Amino acid sequence: MRLRDMKSQGKTYETLMLGERIEESKTVEQRDVFSYLGSADDLNPLFSQSAYAERTEFEQVVVPPSLLVNWFSALVSMKLPGPGSLVQSMQFDFPAPLFIQEEVVLMLEISDKLDHDKKVKLVAKGMSGDKIVAEGELVVCPPRPLKPLFKDAFENF
């Protein structure tokens, strides 16, 4: 995505609707895993070494669950509610492992609007075929209206 194609701001609290949802599909590539592991400084051989992973109960390299968390966070930041959003808290479970070259469908749905502090709760689910690989909940502060760019520009004139 090019910078000029990005929306400058996502949906505000007032414009979000209960039940609003988004889905995105990704095929996990080895480069996704290695990029993530490098940035996280994670050297777990289960996530990177086939010879090691083949000797485990999983029998192959496992995608780090925290990579899925990052992808959910990116969906919040870029799509629902979108740019300007901030994840305040999150809780996830990972019932089944995800493997390299598997397709995962990431889903987010607004499950609650918290009027007292203008935040939303989102239910998250990651599916690979019929297998649930991630499920959780995020509390998100949607973007607030931006301050005017030139609000006080001519204050001294």
Side-chain angles (χ1 to χ4, degrees):
M1 179 180 287
R2 293 182 299 187
L3 190 57
R4 70 174 179 234
D5 295 335
M6 287 180 22
K7 295 186 330 184
S8 63
Q9 188 167 11
K11 292 183 167 192
T12 61
Y13 179 82
E14 291 73 25
T15 61
L16 291 166
M17 308 276 287
L18 284 178
E20 193 169 345
R21 60 180 301 178
I22 186 151
E23 263 185 38
E24 186 168 290
S25 176
K26 289 180 165 284
T27 299
V28 184
E29 303 289 342
Q30 192 158 11
R31 71 173 179 261
D32 298 324
V33 173
F34 283 141
S35 293
Y36 170 75
L37 292 175
S39 67
D41 202 20
D42 188 340
L43 302 175
N44 185 342
L46 183 61
F47 303 146
S48 61
Q49 297 176 18
S50 295
Y52 177 90
E54 288 169 358
R55 296 175 27 223
T56 70
E57 65 183 285
F58 305 107
E59 299 178 348
Q60 60 184 307
V61 170
V62 174
V63 173
S66 48
L67 174 58
L68 295 173
V69 171
N70 281 353
W71 283 347
F72 279 113
S73 180
L75 275 178
V76 167
S77 292
M78 300 309 299
K79 305 246 175 129
L80 185 67
S85 300
L86 181 64
V87 174
Q88 299 279 289
S89 68
M90 60 175 76
Q91 182 277 319
F92 277 94
D93 292 313
F94 305 96
L98 181 65
F99 302 107
I100 293 178
Q101 290 303 313
E102 281 190 317
E103 182 178 28
V104 62
V105 177
L106 305 170
M107 297 168 272
L108 287 174
E109 182 174 333
I110 297 175
S111 61
D112 199 6
K113 290 181 76 171
L114 309 172
D115 289 333
H116 62 282
D117 55 4
K118 305 283 188 206
K119 294 179 184 172
V120 292
K121 283 188 181 179
L122 296 138
V123 172
K125 186 179 268 190
M127 299 289 298
S128 181
D130 293 335
K131 174 174 74 167
I132 299 173
V133 295
E135 55 188 352
E137 183 177 85
L138 299 93
V139 175
V140 174
C141 179
R144 306 281 198 258
L146 294 172
K147 295 176 184 174
L149 188 58
F150 297 109
K151 179 182 178 219
D152 298 321
F154 300 106
E155 187 173 281
N156 292 330
F157 294 99

